Amino acid sequence: MEGNAALSWDGSAPPSGRTETSRTVDAGPLALRITAVGSGTAPAVTVTEAAVPGVLLVEAAADAPDVRLRIEWQLPCTGATGYWTPGTDSRWLPPSWALPREASLPKGAPVGSLVGSGDAALCTFAVGELVRPVTIGEGAVEETGRYSWWVEQDGPRLALRLDLSGRHFADTVRESAAWWGTLAPTRPVPDRAFEPVFCTWYALHLAMTSADVERLAELAAPLGFRSLIVDDGWQTDERTRSYATTGDWQPAPHDFPDFAGHVRRIQALGLTYLLWHAIPFVGDRSGAAERLAGHTLAHLPLLETFLLDPRSATVRAHQVERLAAAVEQHGVDGLKIDFVDTFARRPAPGAAGTASPEADCATVAEGVQKLLAALDARLRATRPDVLVEHRQDYVGPGLWPYATMVRATDCPHNAVENRVRTADLRLTAGPLAVHADPLTWHPRESPEQIAVLLQSVLFATAQVSVDLTAQNAEQLTALAFWLSVMKEHRNLLQRSELRPHRPELAYPVIEARDGARLAFGRYAPLPLRARGAWELLLVANADQDTLVRIEFDRAPGTVDLLVQDCLGGTVARAQTPVGGTELSVRVPTGGLLTLRR
């Protein structure tokens, strides 16, 4: 069916308000409406069934470049328990009239999943776009009890992957990310990206000197940390949380008088050195602010900095030169690149800023890609195995070639949020190592709770940021024990098939499987279901309820059982016959249960 569409399916005016020509296409259980906005000709549409039953690939094409394509679809909102997006902000079902979200290379990812009972995906979608902005509308239609989606993008082509297979939502999201990986090349990530990191931010904030950093590094290395991130503060003698001095990217001469020597001393401890940079900023009190004044998108007064226009070759040349100096001149092993998502911020009306007159691409997202690609080429020319950290909310597939790890956004002291964010990132990170936001705690925190914090990010690379000089022996023992568990089982915990369960309840159970090896993170007093054959089974108990119950498909027979407390001490060790399909074991909070067959 074709024709000029005056109204959208829910009776409201079209999102664009422009001339539209639509075509409706049957796609299995769905009817898709595909619209060319700004065109008098209906778009061509191809629907292909993928190898996995229930997965459809939809491709729409218009006859002119200056159009905007939109695809709409709906499903009955029956049995829905939550709505998953990579933003992690909420798992509630948004109403259809909620503001749409935008995903592009600097921020977000064009994917979402309507989740039903049993964690089954009622519908998971992903848009085949790596760089340019995609606008996404999604939500429950209160008048009809249906769930509606629409996705829009400028340009003559739009590709959509729909998964209606009813499988576990995590499997469908992960496979959507794998589909992105077929659209552009990816590169291998060094093993070092998956090893624990000590970060200076929560431990020192801006009040740091080279001596402070080296003292912490000397304590961190024997505990099992393999990388150090020196965060904000190395480039300024100021102590307030301002970005007014960003942009020059020179070591603070008083606090870091011999920066290259300082880096070498850290590396001699066996630690890889990464250095923080805020790539979109040129601060009000920086020397670079005057030189780049004609190439900014906005002024951010609360942060005391300008937001640079990455479409400018002048901006890109300056930022690449200054950031590459960390590797080329100071000898660091990698960069923590912060605030990329700020490029996607829409300036407030009347905000100061002068967009670059030399902009050489249409969108800011394309400018960000040019900037990161140029920086990546420069860094790898000096250090092919360079490490680069990105952070939520810049998590899309277009960034995979320019990073080696992606970190959960700031959530200090929040074990639940860190757990949810790292699990979400694991589903869409592709080849990248997923890192926790640095764990931090009060100097008098109990060893059990420190273990719980580490268990909350068991399925990611741990980052920690505390004053190690203020920790007692038991606190350090708990930290070292759980870092050793993460090291011993790194492939199972970080590189295997991950299934976080019950997204609407903030993942009270997380499961990982690597062949015959199985691991659970238990964050609520729920039974664990060990499906299929296994030879090794790990349970990290982060809940106050110490009675861990495991249900099996079939009786496992005699197992070697080991229970350890939060310090790694042995609580119980035995060969235990399990003749039935259930096993209950007391595991202390912050402790570990290991079963072997």
Side-chain angles (χ1 to χ4, degrees):
M1 180 175 64
E2 301 177 19
N4 290 325
L7 296 176
S8 64
W9 285 359
D10 61 1
S12 62
S16 64
R18 296 169 56 188
T19 300
E20 301 182 351
T21 306
S22 300
R23 166 173 288 158
T24 302
V25 175
D26 290 329
L30 289 176
L32 302 172
R33 174 176 288 188
I34 301 93
T35 301
V37 181
S39 172
T41 304
V45 181
T46 302
V47 179
T48 306
E49 294 184 9
V52 177
V55 178
L56 304 174
L57 300 178
V58 182
E59 296 180 278
D63 60 356
D66 188 21
V67 297
R68 184 170 177 84
L69 285 172
R70 180 171 70 248
I71 302 178
E72 304 166 78
W73 69 101
Q74 297 184 358
L75 280 174
C77 194
T78 54
T81 59
Y83 193 69
W84 185 95
T85 66
T88 309
D89 300 321
S90 176
R91 290 295 181 251
W92 63 300
L93 298 181
S96 60
W97 42 261
L99 290 175
R101 60 184 168 106
E102 184 174 276
S104 64
L105 182 136
K107 184 175 181 178
V111 61
S113 182
L114 181 64
V115 184
S117 58
D119 291 335
L122 303 177
C123 178
T124 295
F125 82 90
V127 178
E129 174 55 50
L130 307 183
V131 179
R132 298 174 303 149
V134 177
T135 305
I136 302 165
E138 54 213 336
V141 182
E142 56 191 68
E143 293 86 354
T144 64
R146 297 173 69 82
Y147 205 87
S148 71
W149 292 262
W150 57 266
V151 296
E152 279 194 3
Q153 185 175 44
D154 289 332
R157 297 190 180 277
L158 179 58
L160 176 70
R161 186 182 191 272
L162 291 172
D163 193 320
L164 306 170
S165 64
R167 296 171 296 155
H168 195 284
F169 85 94
D171 297 342
T172 65
V173 173
R174 188 171 49 249
E175 289 181 15
S176 296
W179 174 61
W180 287 329
T182 68
L183 305 179
T186 59
R187 57 165 55 103
V189 172
D191 288 342
R192 199 64 174 239
F194 294 86
E195 296 182 320
V197 175
F198 187 86
C199 177
T200 64
W201 178 241
Y202 296 132
L204 298 173
H205 288 100
L206 281 80
M208 71 167 79
T209 66
S210 58
D212 296 329
V213 174
E214 289 169 31
R215 182 170 59 253
L216 289 174
E218 289 169 357
L219 296 172
L223 292 171
F225 292 99
R226 291 295 173 261
S227 291
L228 172 78
I229 292 178
V230 172
D231 214 296
D232 188 4
W234 66 273
Q235 80 294 346
T236 180
D237 290 324
E238 297 185 6
R239 295 296 184 254
T240 59
R241 293 199 191 184
S242 163
Y243 298 98
T245 58
T246 58
D248 295 333
W249 303 118
Q250 299 280 2
H254 180 264
D255 294 333
F256 291 87
D258 175 18
F259 201 82
H262 157 71
V263 171
R264 288 193 296 271
R265 289 190 290 274
I266 297 289
Q267 292 167 333
L269 299 171
L271 295 172
T272 299
Y273 195 117
L274 285 81
L275 194 59
W276 175 86
H277 292 75
I279 196 169
F281 295 164
V282 58
D284 294 355
R285 294 192 291 279
S286 69
E290 183 176 353
R291 296 195 303 274
L292 300 175
H295 309 283
T296 63
L297 296 171
H299 182 251
L300 308 178
L302 293 178
L303 303 182
E304 297 185 272
T305 185
F306 286 92
L307 177 63
L308 292 169
D309 187 345
R311 299 171 298 175
S312 160
T314 299
V315 164
R316 297 195 297 267
H318 172 84
Q319 295 296 72
V320 169
E321 186 69 29
R322 295 313 314 142
L323 270 67
V327 172
E328 296 170 352
Q329 298 176 24
H330 306 312
V332 307
D333 302 290
L335 304 180
K336 171 178 178 174
I337 298 181
D338 214 349
F339 291 106
V340 172
D341 49 342
T342 311
F343 280 123
R345 179 180 295 189
R346 296 186 183 278
T354 305
S356 176
E358 62 182 29
D360 56 10
C361 49
T363 66
V364 170
E366 292 168 292
V368 174
Q369 185 187 41
K370 284 176 174 281
L371 170 59
L372 295 178
L375 176 61
D376 179 76
R378 180 76 173 264
L379 295 175
R380 290 181 185 276
T382 300
R383 189 176 295 279
D385 60 348
V386 67
L387 297 179
V388 175
E389 181 195 275
H390 287 179
R391 170 185 54 77
Q392 279 181 316
D393 202 17
Y394 39 107
V395 298
L399 293 168
W400 293 352
Y402 315 123
T404 55
M405 55 264 230
V406 57
R407 175 179 62 83
T409 198
D410 299 25
C411 48
H413 299 277
N414 195 326
V416 175
E417 188 171 4
N418 224 342
R419 174 175 84 234
V420 173
R421 288 188 175 278
T422 51
D424 285 346
L425 283 172
R426 281 286 307 274
L427 302 183
T428 58
L432 305 185
V434 170
H435 283 222
D437 185 54
L439 302 173
T440 189
W441 53 82
H442 190 275
R444 292 196 298 274
E445 186 60 271
S446 68
E448 291 83 2
Q449 186 58 28
I450 291 171
V452 167
L453 289 169
L454 288 154
Q455 290 172 326
S456 71
V457 299
L458 185 65
F459 302 95
T461 301
Q463 289 199 21
V464 173
S465 186
V466 294
D467 183 358
L468 293 174
T469 66
Q471 306 300 303
N472 63 37
E474 285 196 339
Q475 291 170 319
L476 293 175
T477 298
L479 175 57
F481 169 61
W482 277 101
L483 292 181
S484 71
V485 172
M486 294 173 173
K487 176 182 179 181
E488 181 182 358
H489 302 288
R490 183 166 298 133
N491 285 340
L492 169 60
L493 298 175
Q494 294 192 50
R495 288 172 153 167
S496 61
E497 179 184 278
L498 189 76
R499 282 188 173 181
H501 297 288
R502 302 299 298 273
E504 79 280 12
L505 298 179
Y507 302 144
V509 173
I510 298 179
E511 173 187 359
R513 178 180 287 275
D514 181 16
R517 299 184 301 158
L518 188 60
F520 288 97
R522 180 181 183 264
Y523 310 102
L526 297 175
L528 308 175
R529 295 179 174 86
R531 299 178 177 87
W534 56 271
E535 296 174 359
L536 170 70
L537 194 155
L538 305 177
V539 179
N541 182 37
D543 193 71
Q544 295 300 307
D545 172 40
T546 62
L547 184 61
V548 173
R549 294 167 294 159
I550 308 173
E551 300 173 357
F552 305 101
D553 291 344
R554 54 186 176 272
T558 300
V559 299
D560 291 326
L561 178 149
L562 173 64
V563 178
Q564 294 168 279
D565 61 21
C566 67
L567 304 178
T570 298
V571 175
R573 183 191 294 271
Q575 279 197 332
T576 302
V578 184
T581 57
E582 293 187 9
L583 174 66
S584 294
V585 184
R586 289 286 180 183
V587 181
T589 302
L592 176 67
L593 168 65
T594 303
L595 300 177
R596 297 180 187 270
R597 297 177 65 185

